[in-house]
Amino acid sequence: MSKIQASKNPVQIVEQSRIAQPMGTTLDRFIKNNQDQFAYASGELSQLLRDIALASKVVNREVNKAGLIDIMGALGSQNTFGESQQKLDVLANIRFTRALMKGGEACAIISEETESFVDLTNHGKYVIAIDPLDGSSNIDVNVSIGTIFSIYRRKTKEGTPISEEDILQRGEEQVAAGYVLYGSSTMLVYTTGFGVNGFTYEPTLGEYFLSHPDLKMPEDGKIFSVNESGLATFPAPVVNYLQFCKAQNYTGRYIGSLVADFHRNMLKGGIYIYPTSAHAPEGKLRLMYECNALAFIAEQAGGKATDGVQRILSIQPKTLHQRTAFYVGSKKMVEQAAGA
Ligand code: AHM
Ligand code: MG
């Protein structure tokens, strides 16, 4: 008998590894298969996730054709904070709001693009905080952008007006959170508190497929993502930490799109820091629709998120558009950057 064993058919090997890990499962099937993880109203939360996924496909289509038709560039209006709104920001906000209104599972929406929350005056059980299109300064230059969302249970009785108690919830009360990254591929990554899973969009089939099951963030890493223009007035631990990173020949990577920077660091190991500075005394990023979702995902993937002192998810929001300093990524790096 020959000493040389015939190797397995490569197609067979690929198929076997697919069976071991449910790669290629569609997002819809994955959501359905995992529905029993929720204590109650599981069908509604599943439907809500599907509504968000559907709206993200529409936004993805608009993002992809942005260079082809005249929807790029400033609309000429400004949002609540005096920042110029890009047309795609406005469109994305409309798309997500419409999908959530039609779905009926959401009762209120908090969005970066609107000054106050929207009470949908229905019997929905969930409150959504969303940044429909984050990293908007990158739209015109064809660089990755993202959508970030948090889902909470409403606290007050259905059918009554939405109150502050429903809206100003701490991040640790999220029942689900996720982001969509419109990058070289479009990905949807989400958690319902049972780990983190990533799905890649197949545009010709119009489906998200499970591509990154049970994502884990490396405990330590060698990538630091920070806009150093405010360095002179950063907190001392951050200044020291950046010196350390450079002395260790770590890699500096900063896209200026939170979702893209976060996603890369989650896969490769790294830290994203947007600290306080003279320029941004309370930090720049928004607690409710930028930081909380990513903090939930980071923790679920084994990473960490703080404001330099306390856990992001424990912060009690006082206002809708509250800013915070944000340190997120590999656990050891976040601890060291905060001077722990
Ligand atoms: P935006 O919501 O106006 O897009 O601002 C949030 C973005 C983040 O995506 C990004 O990490 C950060 O702002 C970049 O800010 P800066 O240009 O100050 O570095
Ligand atoms: Mg934003």
Side-chain angles (χ1 to χ4, degrees):
M1 198 173 69
S2 162
K3 286 185 181 165
I4 306 167
Q5 292 277 328
S7 62
K8 278 191 179 172
N9 176 343
V11 175
Q12 228 178 357
I13 295 171
V14 171
E15 287 307 320
Q16 278 169 358
S17 70
R18 277 193 186 137
I19 293 162
Q21 300 177 338
M23 301 274 274
T25 308
T26 65
L27 175 65
D28 273 7
R29 181 164 294 277
F30 186 90
I31 291 171
K32 194 164 179 283
N33 289 349
N34 291 285
Q35 193 160 286
D36 53 6
Q37 285 172 339
F38 315 122
Y40 58 0
S42 54
E44 289 165 24
L45 181 57
S46 295
Q47 187 53 45
L48 184 52
L49 289 167
R50 282 195 286 264
D51 292 344
I52 292 172
L54 180 61
S56 79
K57 292 179 191 177
V58 179
V59 171
N60 179 63
R61 193 185 61 193
E62 275 155 11
V63 167
N64 281 330
K65 69 184 183 189
L68 296 172
I69 58 171
D70 184 29
I71 56 171
M72 286 179 77
L75 189 61
S77 64
Q78 296 202 324
N79 70 6
T80 324
F81 318 103
E83 298 156 347
S84 71
Q85 279 182 316
Q86 304 288 324
K87 285 182 185 178
L88 273 176
D89 299 26
V90 179
L91 276 177
N93 195 40
I94 293 168
R95 298 292 179 244
F96 281 104
T97 305
R98 199 175 283 167
L100 294 169
M101 281 172 87
K102 277 192 183 157
E105 296 82 23
C107 56
I109 305 171
I110 303 157
S111 164
E112 170 156 1
E113 298 302 326
T114 46
E115 186 169 1
S116 11
F117 68 86
V118 178
D119 184 343
L120 297 176
T121 59
N122 60 13
H123 285 268
K125 294 186 174 70
Y126 294 97
V127 173
I128 316 300
I130 188 164
D131 185 348
L133 210 55
D134 183 67
S136 48
S137 64
N138 280 324
I139 295 172
D140 279 349
V141 290
N142 209 0
V143 173
S144 299
I145 43 186
T147 295
I148 308 171
F149 62 91
S150 292
I151 303 178
Y152 298 85
R153 293 264 322 165
R154 80 169 287 176
K155 297 216 152 169
T156 54
K157 202 165 168 288
E158 285 165 45
T160 60
I162 298 295
S163 76
E164 201 175 288
E165 199 188 339
D166 300 312
I167 298 297
L168 298 179
Q169 300 195 45
R170 290 191 308 281
E172 59 199 7
E173 294 176 279
Q174 290 171 100
V175 291
Y179 61 80
V180 182
L181 172 59
Y182 310 97
S184 46
S185 299
T186 295
M187 281 195 72
L188 188 150
V189 176
Y190 82 98
T191 183
T192 53
F194 297 90
V196 180
N197 290 284
F199 299 79
T200 301
Y201 186 57
E202 213 296 21
T204 57
L205 297 173
E207 285 275 13
Y208 283 105
F209 292 97
L210 181 62
S211 53
H212 295 68
D214 198 19
L215 274 165
K216 293 288 173 225
M217 190 178 265
E219 202 183 354
D220 204 354
K222 294 188 172 172
I223 299 173
F224 59 101
S225 309
V226 56
N227 177 348
E228 289 190 62
S229 70
L231 185 69
T233 55
F234 281 175
V238 177
V239 175
N240 295 339
Y241 184 66
L242 293 175
Q243 268 168 9
F244 165 84
C245 290
K246 290 170 192 173
Q248 299 295 312
N249 279 327
Y250 283 7
T251 300
R253 287 282 183 273
Y254 190 72
I255 298 171
S257 258
L258 176 59
V259 171
D261 280 313
F262 174 86
H263 184 74
R264 183 204 48 243
N265 293 350
M266 178 161 69
L267 296 187
K268 297 196 167 180
I271 184 170
Y272 173 99
I273 313 174
Y274 209 112
T276 55
S277 65
H279 168 67
E282 293 165 358
K284 174 184 180 186
L285 300 175
R286 315 293 174 156
L287 175 64
M288 293 215 60
Y289 42 78
E290 290 175 335
C291 302
N292 272 338
L294 300 187
F296 189 19
I297 291 169
E299 287 196 6
Q300 283 292 315
K304 192 162 179 163
T306 75
D307 65 355
V309 180
Q310 61 175 327
R311 183 176 174 237
I312 288 289
L313 296 182
S314 303
I315 300 174
Q316 173 60 56
K318 293 188 181 67
T319 59
L320 221 56
H321 299 289
Q322 184 168 326
R323 297 177 195 270
T324 179
F326 196 38
Y327 302 47
V328 66
S330 293
K331 195 162 177 275
K332 285 190 175 163
M333 298 181 87
V334 171
E335 284 166 0
Q336 199 180 339

